[in-house]
């Protein structure tokens, strides 16, 4: 079983509802949803082109999927998650836009938000005590991905190569798109689909704890909590999180 710390707006927010509809699955209740009609693409084609992000659920990764280290259990993680959310302050970003990331489409902050980058770094560090070391197979798979020397160092230290200065926040919308015509069609459709929530100020005011019951299973949101504290995203204090001893495995 693996867990992840993801940015997601509240389950009933327009952004979350639009993202779930685009991917064809609600990550909160796990139900399949009808996807939008896109001219020139069949429903089966769109389902294929959104398959990978649909399994993970509509989200922005902050702490990549990890298994729990020995001595800590899900109640301990959930307690720490609640504590983190009760200490972290909400903050704004300029907005999200449909963006091409190589051969993928995603929602990304435009322009880049240093507050969001700082918040992601805080999540990486705060929840690191819960992360079990990568297995040899996972490490080998990651190292085979043509990583830079710095990314390899980050992978070994933090279990994921795209953290800190290598991090770029994104809410993935597609698999890798090989055909330019498909990229253009999906980009136009995504811009129309998300028009009501993009290219305007956006508040980062909640956080999601997601779980994967077994490798390859769909990720589900097990907690989405508001940020109700006073510690800003750039404050080093946000990287320190209390762990409740009562909730640890005995």
């Amino acid at each position: 079983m693996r867990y992840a710390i993801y940015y997601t707006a509240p389950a009933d927010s327009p952004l979350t509802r639009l993202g779930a509809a685009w991917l064809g699955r609600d990550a909160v209740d796990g139900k399949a949803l009808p996807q939008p009609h896109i001219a020139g693409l069949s429903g089966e084609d769109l389902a294929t082109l959104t398959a990978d992000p649909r399994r993970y659920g509509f989200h922005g990764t902050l702490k990549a999927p990890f298994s729990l280290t020995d001595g800590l259990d899900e109640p301990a993680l959930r307690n720490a998650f609640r504590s983190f959310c009760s200490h972290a302050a909400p903050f704004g970003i300029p907005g999200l836009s449909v963006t091409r990331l190589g051969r993928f489409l995603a929602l990304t902050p435009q322009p880049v938000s240093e507050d969001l980058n700082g918040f992601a770094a805080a999540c990486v560090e705060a929840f690191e005590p819960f992360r079990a070391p990568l297995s040899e197979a996972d490490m080998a798979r990651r190292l085979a991905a043509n990583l830079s020397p710095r990314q390899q160092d980050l992978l070994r230290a933090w279990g994921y190569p795209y953290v800190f200065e290598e991090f770029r926040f994104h809410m993935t919308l597609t698999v890798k798109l090989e055909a330019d015509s498909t990229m253009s069609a999906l980009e136009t459709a995504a811009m129309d689909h998300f028009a009501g929530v993009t290219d305007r100020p956006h508040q980062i005011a909640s956080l999601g704890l997601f779980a994967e019951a077994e490798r390859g299973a769909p990720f589900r949101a097990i907690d989405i909590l508001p940020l109700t504290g006073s510690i800003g995203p750039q404050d080093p204090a946000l990287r320190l999180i209390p762990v409740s001893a009562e909730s640890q495995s005995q």
Side-chain angles (χ1 to χ4, degrees), residues 8-159:
T8 182
D12 60 352
S13 73
L15 175 62
T16 299
R17 302 318 308 156
L18 287 170
W22 176 267
L23 297 181
R25 185 176 76 88
D26 188 320
V28 175
D29 62 20
K31 293 181 179 179
L33 298 172
Q35 292 181 273
H37 173 72
I38 298 178
L41 290 176
S42 68
E44 292 78 9
D45 287 339
L46 182 57
T48 298
L49 295 171
T50 53
D52 286 346
R54 179 165 55 253
R55 183 173 84 82
Y56 287 90
F58 184 65
H59 75 281
T61 298
L62 299 174
K63 178 76 169 177
F66 59 93
S67 298
L68 287 175
T69 192
D70 291 342
L72 291 172
D73 56 13
E74 183 176 306
L77 177 60
R78 295 182 73 161
N79 281 350
F81 179 74
R82 284 192 290 270
S83 178
F84 184 90
C85 292
S86 72
H87 285 83
F91 60 95
I93 62 173
L96 295 165
S97 299
V98 176
T99 308
R100 296 188 184 195
L101 293 181
R103 303 302 304 181
F104 296 82
L105 289 177
L107 295 182
T108 66
Q110 299 295 326
V112 172
S113 167
E114 291 305 319
D115 279 346
L116 184 49
N117 289 348
F119 186 69
C123 288
V124 169
E125 292 195 31
F127 292 96
E128 181 65 8
F130 290 90
R131 183 182 67 84
L134 288 180
S135 68
E136 291 184 5
D138 283 339
M139 182 66 75
R141 177 176 58 84
R142 286 288 188 184
L143 288 173
N146 195 31
L147 301 178
S148 70
R150 175 57 177 160
Q151 290 168 348
Q152 292 179 35
D153 289 342
L154 291 169
L155 174 66
R156 293 187 178 98
W158 300 97

